[in-house]
Amino acid sequence: MSRRTKRPARPARPAAESPGPKACPCGLTATYAECCGRYHAGTAAAPTAEALMRSRFSAFAVQDGPYLLRTWHPDTRPASLDLDPGMCWTRLEILGTTDGSAFHSTGTVTFRAHYTHGAEAGSLHEQSRFSRVEGRWVYLDAVFAD
């Protein structure tokens, strides 16, 4: 009878790394689920005009047309929205805000939204106007700044 020696145990294989929580497209440090995702899901409402602007940028980034329509003022909302799947919204810069807090009924947000479309990179510079309808912030209209 031969004596067998025990082999040392193999180290356990590391589990396949799952990607971490997805960053929010709006540029804040929270994850998408903790930030704009909850507005898109309808579990929370944007508390300020800037928060609504950020959530709408994120909605463009994730192609959430129903959210964009839901958060558009009824007087200026289009009947439908055709989002371009080739448009990739990459970064949002908030350049300034006027009013738009919990204590206001209107507000403006000036921003620059960066995108790529195919091999072309560009940006959209805009001042958007927001107002409250039934207590919730909605996008009213915009003036292009460039």
Side-chain angles (χ1 to χ4, degrees), residues 4-131:
R4 290 189 177 192
T5 58
K6 266 190 163 179
R7 285 188 179 168
R10 283 189 179 166
R13 282 188 168 182
E17 277 190 46
S18 61
K22 189 173 161 187
C24 192
C26 82
L28 294 178
T29 58
T31 65
Y32 172 72
E34 295 168 332
C35 194
C36 296
R38 61 196 172 115
Y39 304 141
H40 297 172
T43 59
T48 65
E50 181 181 335
L52 183 64
M53 175 61 239
R54 287 180 177 281
S55 71
R56 287 177 57 83
F57 173 85
S58 292
F60 277 104
V62 301
Q63 301 275 306
D64 189 345
Y67 178 78
L68 292 166
L69 291 172
R70 257 191 341 268
T71 58
W72 212 308
H73 194 285
D75 293 345
T76 58
R77 177 177 39 230
S80 65
L81 196 58
D82 187 25
L83 298 174
D84 181 349
M87 183 70 82
C88 180
W89 295 97
T90 58
R91 185 167 55 96
L92 176 66
E93 291 177 82
I94 301 296
L95 304 174
T97 62
T98 304
D99 299 334
S101 77
F103 303 105
H104 301 105
S105 59
T106 62
T108 64
V109 179
T110 304
F111 66 93
R112 183 171 284 114
H114 298 267
Y115 64 86
T116 58
H117 191 265
E120 299 284 322
S123 67
L124 171 73
H125 186 188
E126 184 178 299
Q127 182 180 64
S128 293
R129 292 189 316 151
F130 298 88
S131 67

